[in-house]
Amino acid sequence: MALASVLGFKSNDAFNRSLRCDKNDDTIDELCPKLNVENISQFITLPPYADPAKYLKMVSDNVDRVKIQFLKGTTTLAFKFRNGVIVAVDSRATAGGFIASGEVKKVIEINPYLLGTMAGGAADCAFWERVLARHCRIYELRNKEKISVAAASKILANMVFEYRGMGLSMGTMIVGWDKRGPGLYMVSDDGERISDNLFSVGSGSIYAYSILDAGYKYEMSTIDAIDLARRAIVHAAHRDAASGNIVRIYHMKETGWEKIEEKDTNDYMYQYREDKTMNF
Amino acid sequence: MGDDIMSYNGGVALAMKGKECVAIACDKRYGVQNKTIATNFTKIFQYVLFENVSFFLKVQTVSERLRFRTNLYELREQRKLKPLVLYNMLTNLLYERRFGPYFVYALVIGLDPKTGETYVFDSDNIGAISDNVNLATVGTASDYIFGLGELFFKPNMNADELFEATSQALLNGVDRDSASGWGAVVYVVEKDKVTVRELKGRQD
């Protein structure tokens, strides 16, 4: 390639076109167009009627006895502490009363230093967090530095805000470690984006919050933090019908995330009954 | 969880026949939609043996009203109830409320100690009469348990095999339903004794 350019040979294939210096940001995107409101139909099949937001709202409002209710039947939690962020999730997917799966991966590994959790519609969370992964990678390539957690969560919140009212169901936590330290943001389908030290999302979050609030201290050791997260998920799995099966725990450190464990909640419940920390 | 009243509390029961023995099993959860309130709520009431699931208050009401009628019967007739009589009383009680029904599904089992004849009946919430069947299930997880029950059922099982078949069908069926589980109880009725066993199940 270098020899070709020295000799003034101009090739017209795609690779060479992309190497040319007269390229700027807008023209690079012609090869892989950016997803935005105008060209959305290239990426997603939109419903074939004029006002999707209004029509789809009817579906969840029980008009004509049709009602599709997206309930966030799950328990996910994340909290910051002095050694990073702990993320813990259950693995049950319910469709009404039926347990569709007990092995759902509710932590989405966006990249080696960013994690996203899944609550609400599985498809919505998985798809949009994958789009987010794409944006994060492009940012990294253009700017030669890792994207901040604040920016990543903002990108996701803005993408989702464009679909506000159309029936997306997503309650996700974006967890990462950037140059400002550990980052934790909660992003939901109505475009809400907030940052705090401790969050829990899902139908079992009420039970998880009680365990977390009772035992949380910022100065906890890593072992204690993992134990607290595990207990919170196990208690929520016990009381909430829509949570259970496997508990997965991740630890976000300065060097990226590490998967701590993936064990059956039922085994922990009987173990906690043995040492009297749980009653049933 | 769905917004229909029959799955408001959740719960499940299963009954199976063997050779001169019958088994009935139920889960132990008492909950309100997604919230689990208690894990020791067995839904089996003993007359001959009678079982209700689905809506707790109605369960108590139906159970108490039936107890009233059976006590009166025994006082008047000066003899013990037969399972078929109990079943007919129950379906009658339920049909009395045809246009404002009790929210219960019923399962009745019985055993005649002299002849060894076994009875398993089930009913919907307005008292539909069923035949004396080999296997019956009611509740939110009944679809899942039916499949397993049909798989494990063999004709003329003895008490131990019957216990195994019933408990396996129930425990594995409730693992696919979010509104039932949290342990189980199995009653095996034979000619001379009733054995009650508590099963260790998934607590989520």
Side-chain angles (χ1 to χ4, degrees):
Chain A
M1 301 302 141
L3 180 62
S5 60
V6 159
L7 294 174
F9 172 70
K10 281 186 174 43
S11 159
N12 234 349
D13 64 19
F15 180 70
N16 280 304
R17 271 186 281 139
S18 67
L19 284 178
R20 279 189 229 139
C21 305
D22 54 322
K23 281 282 163 188
N24 56 36
D25 273 348
D26 295 333
T27 39
I28 286 175
D29 285 326
E30 270 166 29
L31 298 169
C32 47
K34 249 195 286 219
L35 171 75
N36 57 43
V37 178
E38 287 88 39
N39 65 3
I40 197 173
S41 48
Q42 278 183 273
F43 296 94
I44 300 175
T45 315
L46 283 180
Y49 27 78
D51 191 345
K54 198 167 81 166
Y55 185 83
L56 290 169
K57 192 169 191 307
M58 270 163 52
V59 168
S60 54
D61 276 355
N62 200 14
V63 171
D64 288 340
R65 291 175 300 138
V66 171
K67 189 169 183 182
I68 301 177
Q69 213 186 19
F70 293 101
L71 303 165
K72 297 187 181 131
T74 185
T75 313
T76 60
L77 62 91
F79 57 85
K80 283 194 235 182
F81 72 114
R82 74 176 150 101
N83 291 337
V85 193
I86 297 285
V87 182
V89 299
D90 76 313
S91 69
R92 180 173 286 186
T94 44
F98 176 59
I99 297 174
S101 171
E103 286 153 29
V104 177
K105 292 200 168 71
K106 296 189 187 180
V107 173
I108 295 157
E109 297 157 5
I110 298 174
N111 61 40
Y113 54 93
L114 264 185
L115 288 174
T117 61
M118 181 199 286
D124 291 333
C125 292
F127 178 82
W128 290 109
E129 288 183 20
R130 197 159 152 76
V131 175
L132 175 65
R134 178 181 162 273
H135 280 272
C136 292
R137 179 65 180 144
I138 292 180
Y139 178 98
E140 206 181 305
L141 286 169
R142 287 185 179 154
N143 303 71
K144 279 196 184 172
E145 83 171 354
K146 295 196 171 89
I147 193 170
S148 67
V149 188
S153 57
K154 191 78 170 174
I155 289 175
L156 183 66
N158 288 340
M159 285 195 300
V160 155
F161 185 77
E162 285 178 28
Y163 293 89
R164 200 173 135 99
M166 289 197 207
L168 282 184
S169 170
M170 210 175 83
T172 179
M173 293 180 288
I174 302 295
V175 175
W177 192 302
D178 56 27
K179 58 184 183 222
R180 289 194 215 131
L184 171 58
Y185 285 81
M186 181 164 84
V187 177
S188 74
D189 53 76
D190 41 18
E192 174 185 60
R193 169 183 167 268
I194 45 182
S195 173
D196 197 356
N197 280 346
L198 182 121
F199 285 116
S200 179
V201 179
S203 58
S205 65
I206 45 180
Y207 310 106
Y209 270 127
S210 14
I211 303 294
L212 289 172
D213 289 338
Y216 175 75
K217 287 185 188 44
Y218 189 83
E219 301 77 27
M220 282 190 293
S221 67
T222 307
I223 306 274
D224 287 341
I226 291 170
D227 185 63
L228 182 69
R230 184 190 296 133
R231 267 176 207 277
I233 293 286
V234 168
H235 277 88
H238 180 55
R239 283 286 174 181
D240 183 30
S243 308
N245 292 91
I246 297 171
V247 52
R248 290 196 171 90
I249 306 180
Y250 286 70
H251 179 198
M252 178 64 72
K253 303 192 280 234
E254 196 167 354
T255 48
W257 55 259
E258 182 197 341
K259 185 168 188 178
I260 303 292
E261 74 173 15
E262 180 174 307
K263 294 244 174 72
D264 195 326
T265 52
N266 191 44
D267 297 338
Y268 280 122
M269 285 177 206
Y270 280 103
Q271 187 189 314
Y272 293 154
R273 186 163 79 156
E274 288 289 306
D275 51 12
K276 307 273 192 276
T277 46
M278 206 161 171
N279 294 305
F280 58 82
Chain B
M1 193 65 54
D3 43 359
D4 78 298
I5 188 69
M6 295 309 287
S7 58
Y8 184 73
N9 289 117
V12 81
L14 155 70
M16 230 193 249
K17 261 199 220 186
K19 188 176 172 63
E20 299 190 353
C21 53
V22 215
I24 189 168
C26 71
D27 71 322
K28 297 202 325 192
R29 178 179 184 261
Y30 170 55
V32 169
Q33 293 190 307
N34 273 339
K35 183 163 51 174
T36 304
I37 294 175
T39 54
N40 59 359
F41 179 52
T42 58
K43 305 161 181 81
I44 299 183
F45 304 91
Q46 197 150 3
Y47 303 92
V48 193
L49 260 182
F50 153 67
E51 153 77 62
N52 269 339
V53 289
S54 279
F55 201 59
F56 175 53
L57 291 172
K58 294 297 184 291
V59 165
Q60 284 190 318
T61 312
V62 173
S63 158
E64 294 297 308
R65 290 208 168 141
L66 189 64
R67 193 158 68 94
F68 171 72
R69 293 182 192 205
T70 56
N71 285 346
L72 266 183
Y73 179 97
E74 288 182 357
L75 282 170
R76 285 193 190 126
E77 308 266 331
Q78 287 297 305
R79 59 196 172 104
K80 287 255 167 276
L81 270 171
K82 292 216 162 59
L84 195 51
V85 174
L86 175 79
Y87 181 63
N88 284 321
M89 268 189 182
L90 173 66
T91 50
N92 193 273
L93 198 161
L94 292 174
Y95 199 81
E96 278 177 14
R97 291 277 179 272
R98 169 64 176 81
F99 299 109
Y102 292 111
F103 301 122
V104 293
Y105 290 129
L107 200 59
V108 176
I109 68 164
L111 183 90
D112 189 333
K114 284 202 258 330
T115 63
E117 195 181 343
T118 54
Y119 303 92
V120 168
F121 303 108
D122 70 349
S123 167
D124 67 1
N125 66 336
I126 49 174
I129 298 184
S130 84
D131 297 326
N132 191 357
V133 288
N134 281 329
L135 162 73
T137 318
V138 296
T140 46
S142 65
D143 292 345
Y144 321 126
I145 294 176
F146 258 126
L148 287 165
E150 293 285 359
L151 179 70
F152 292 130
F153 176 78
K154 292 192 310 281
N156 295 325
M157 287 187 278
N158 67 33
D160 287 328
E161 289 173 339
L162 180 65
F163 165 69
E164 272 307 312
T166 313
S167 40
Q168 285 304 314
L170 187 86
L171 281 179
N172 291 305
V174 299
D175 283 346
R176 273 290 174 182
D177 179 35
S178 52
S180 18
W182 279 259
V185 162
V186 186
Y187 285 67
V188 180
V189 181
E190 296 170 74
K191 271 171 143 175
D192 51 345
K193 60 179 182 215
V194 174
T195 318
V196 184
R197 290 185 186 88
E198 301 237 345
L199 298 177
K200 197 168 125 154
R202 282 194 70 95
Q203 299 290 327
D204 58 4

